[in-house]
Amino acid sequence: MAKIHGKDSVVQIEDSGGTLRTLTTDVNNVEAPITVDEGDVTGFGDASHNSVVGAQNSPIALTGPYNDLATTGIHAILSGLVRGTGTGGSAGYDCRVMPSGTASGKPRLRGRVLLTTYQVTAPVGGPVTYQASLVPALAAGLAWETI
């Protein structure tokens, strides 16, 4: 796998009407860790720690410049997901993070998410920005796949 630059990343999310929207120009940082709970099951007399794995957690954090363009701006898309539960009878909203673009064979993190935080920041001496936090809506969480 080649080393890549973040400028080619693509982020997409389904809006409250069920349309998949590309957020790329309104996102300048995405964090998508996948962690698994760890339980220490070390017993008396064990020479080293023993662990078992638990539930997966895969939150997504988005930040970027605020855009209030109707329908396709980040504000229209994310503010429509506040307190939302999903579209088309499914829990959550389809979300896709593609750190190296959308070409066939590239990796993609995908799953259904709920918006838990949408914060707009407007400092007197700088640009208006936003921060958003998304969490998995289904027990399956988010998973890496190949486009």
Side-chain angles (χ1 to χ4, degrees):
M1 175 183 240
K3 294 179 180 162
I4 57 170
H5 194 280
K7 69 177 180 56
D8 296 325
S9 297
V10 176
V11 178
Q12 298 174 319
I13 194 166
E14 190 175 28
D15 67 15
S16 61
T19 301
L20 189 65
R21 302 285 184 184
T22 299
L23 310 179
T24 303
T25 59
D26 293 338
V27 177
N28 62 19
N29 191 53
V30 60
E31 295 178 17
I34 295 179
T35 61
V36 178
D37 294 337
E38 174 190 358
D40 189 334
V41 294
T42 306
F44 293 125
D46 285 344
S48 63
H49 282 273
N50 294 305
S51 300
V52 294
V53 295
Q56 174 180 305
N57 190 15
S58 45
I60 295 176
L62 303 175
T63 57
Y66 176 82
N67 177 350
D68 65 0
L69 187 66
T71 310
T72 60
I74 196 73
H75 180 71
I77 296 166
L78 294 183
S79 66
L81 303 184
V82 173
R83 297 185 53 85
T85 57
T87 58
S90 297
Y93 303 93
D94 187 17
C95 182
R96 305 168 187 192
V97 175
M98 296 153 282
S100 53
T102 59
S104 179
K106 298 291 186 181
R108 169 173 64 192
L109 182 64
R110 185 175 183 185
R112 298 193 70 80
V113 298
L114 295 171
L115 180 71
T116 58
T117 304
Y118 176 55
Q119 176 181 328
V120 176
T121 303
V124 70
V128 178
T129 60
Y130 75 92
Q131 296 176 340
S133 298
L134 306 159
V135 296
L138 303 173
L142 281 74
W144 286 101
E145 62 185 20
T146 301
I147 300 173

